[in-house]
Amino acid sequence: MDQVGFPVAATAAVIPPASPLTPAGVTLGQRLFFDPRLSGDGSVACATCHDPARAFTDGRPRSVGIGGHIGRRNAPTVLNALYNKTQFWDGRVHTLEQQAALPITNPFEMGSSSIADAVSRIALDKNYQAQFMQAFRRGVNEQDMLRAIATYERTLISFDAPFDRFIAGDASAVSESAKRGWELFNTKARCNLCHARTSKERDVTIFTDNDFHNIGIEILGHDVGALARRAERELVQGQQLDIDIAAIEGDMSVLGRFLVTKRQSDIAAFKTPGLRNVLITGPYFHNGSMQTLWDAVDHYNHGDGVTDPWLDKDIQPLALTEPEIDDVVAFMTSLTSSMYAEAGEKEFARQLAVSRVDRPQRNTARAFGPKPVQPQPPPLQ
């Protein structure tokens, strides 16, 4: 995919020496990515939740795994995942090799009893035997299987969007509404506080700080203190499989980053997603609770979750007017890569129609009111 808008050197810098990009490795990884034999019953592949036609998401609020099991998290896009400092919504692993492994063995996702179990189902395939030998000079094995999947994922780079052409000097590449939205994004709408590498300079790359924030989603419906105490008892820090299962299945999923760090400041904090191709990667947020980009902006506009003691300090009412909300949405749609332009046009029309009759997150009174006093976090003990 095109790398317009991001330096080639930056791409090379995030490719580990142990997993070089080679044609044979990429071809093998692509085949594995689409192969349901990696799942326990042969029904689920990586591509089940990361469909190229949907910008490597699945279009569902929460992903469906083996046996039709519905998990607790929305499938994030794999596009540009090589730039992530951590993987998954809670950052529980750092590398794409580690990320490739966990869904395969999670009993609610792909359901293999072990990586070796998944390898055993492809090891007898003569084509796989030849491909592993060509890519890694040895037979089918666990480490190289994960390296190949990660290698393929590192080729999934997507930039070439109207916004990139605008930033490069083509003033006609985006609408006047999108230009106003870009200004609002960096000023009144406060989006840049999380969706930029730093809040001090305008970022035109992948629009994330690679950090974790509690933005007021889902937490108020749970006894978070009790869940946190339970997590401290049941989840030993560093036990990846237990944390992985808790993230996908059960109420402790709402704890987010806390599952990994056990720090109270990380309660219900989730990773800031990048915004490229955001138009076609909905539903939005870690639990897929927002159906349109208008819903997502409305959520921030009225400072949802202000009675949450652990809410991120930057969440507050924004007082965006309706035309300003439309402009912010227009800017986000300008981040749609050229290969998804047609799908983006259809999705924009769908979301626009929905937004004109159904805006469940809209709260104008709160949006234009003062920020309520936020309660202090209670002790967990």
Side-chain angles (χ1 to χ4, degrees), residues 355-369:
S355 74
R356 294 309 182 244
V357 297
D358 186 17
R359 292 276 290 277
Q361 297 298 314
R362 192 183 210 167
N363 190 328
T364 303
R366 278 265 299 274
F368 285 84

Side-chain angles (χ1 to χ4, degrees), residues 133-355:
M133 190 60 67
Q134 182 179 11
F136 300 110
R137 300 294 186 265
R138 55 187 177 183
V140 181
N141 67 89
E142 300 176 28
Q143 179 184 0
D144 291 337
M145 183 182 78
L146 300 177
R147 285 173 64 194
I149 295 172
T151 295
Y152 168 63
E153 290 179 336
R154 290 189 180 102
T155 69
L156 303 178
I157 301 171
S158 182
F159 287 89
D160 183 27
F163 176 79
D164 297 308
R165 296 190 285 279
F166 167 67
I167 289 297
D170 182 358
S172 65
V174 302
S175 67
E176 293 302 314
S177 178
K179 294 174 187 176
R180 293 191 297 269
W182 174 231
E183 291 301 313
L184 288 163
F185 182 92
N186 291 287
T187 54
K188 181 179 178 181
R190 298 166 61 89
C191 311
N192 64 319
L193 297 183
C194 296
H195 290 284
R197 286 182 291 185
T198 76
S199 59
K200 300 185 183 302
E201 58 182 349
R202 297 197 176 195
D203 182 10
V204 298
T205 57
I206 54 175
F207 302 97
T208 175
D209 59 1
N210 268 307
D211 207 346
F212 303 85
H213 303 275
N214 178 337
I215 61 170
I217 294 292
E218 195 176 43
I219 188 173
L220 298 180
H222 297 266
D223 186 345
V224 174
L227 288 172
R229 290 190 293 271
R230 179 182 159 199
E232 288 179 325
R233 290 193 308 269
E234 297 181 11
L235 300 179
V236 177
Q237 197 162 353
Q239 292 296 315
Q240 230 171 43
L241 180 59
D242 291 341
I243 294 171
D244 192 54
I245 292 173
I248 300 301
E249 170 64 18
D251 288 346
M252 282 196 294
S253 177
V254 304
L255 294 173
R257 182 70 172 162
F258 180 84
L259 293 174
V260 180
T261 67
K262 307 302 187 297
R263 292 196 299 258
Q264 187 170 169
S265 59
D266 284 331
I267 286 179
F270 291 84
K271 186 170 67 176
T272 306
L275 293 181
R276 287 189 174 272
N277 295 303
V278 66
L279 176 60
I280 52 176
T281 58
Y284 304 109
F285 299 149
H286 67 271
N287 64 345
S289 57
M290 304 295 166
Q291 295 300 308
T292 72
L293 290 174
W294 280 269
D295 291 339
V297 178
D298 282 343
H299 166 84
Y300 290 114
N301 195 32
H302 72 260
D304 203 8
V306 289
T307 58
D308 166 11
W310 296 280
L311 187 73
D312 191 278
K313 60 181 176 59
D314 288 325
I315 301 296
Q316 64 180 50
L318 299 176
L320 295 174
T321 65
E322 284 302 308
E324 287 174 330
I325 292 172
D326 288 344
D327 288 342
V328 173
V329 171
F331 159 67
M332 288 192 284
T333 66
S334 77
L335 298 174
T336 306
S337 298
S338 57
M339 68 178 300
Y340 294 114
E342 183 177 350
E345 290 177 4
K346 293 178 181 177
E347 178 61 11
F348 180 80
R350 186 194 72 81
Q351 288 196 23
L352 178 63
V354 171
S355 74

Side-chain angles (χ1 to χ4, degrees), residues 47-52 54-59 74-78 280-282:
T48 302
C49 295
H50 302 287
D51 180 358
R54 295 180 176 271
F56 289 85
T57 61
D58 60 12
N74 175 263
T77 181
V78 185
I280 52 176
T281 58

Side-chain angles (χ1 to χ4, degrees), residues 38-40 44-46 49-50 66 88 92-93 96-112 115 146 153 241 244 248:
L38 299 188
S39 65
V44 180
C46 303
C49 295
H50 302 287
I66 193 170
F88 298 114
R92 58 189 179 273
V93 301
L96 286 172
E97 286 81 0
Q98 294 169 321
Q99 183 277 325
L102 290 183
I104 292 173
T105 56
N106 189 300
F108 303 104
E109 293 186 282
M110 297 174 73
S112 288
I115 298 298
L146 300 177
E153 290 179 336
L241 180 59
D244 192 54
I248 300 301

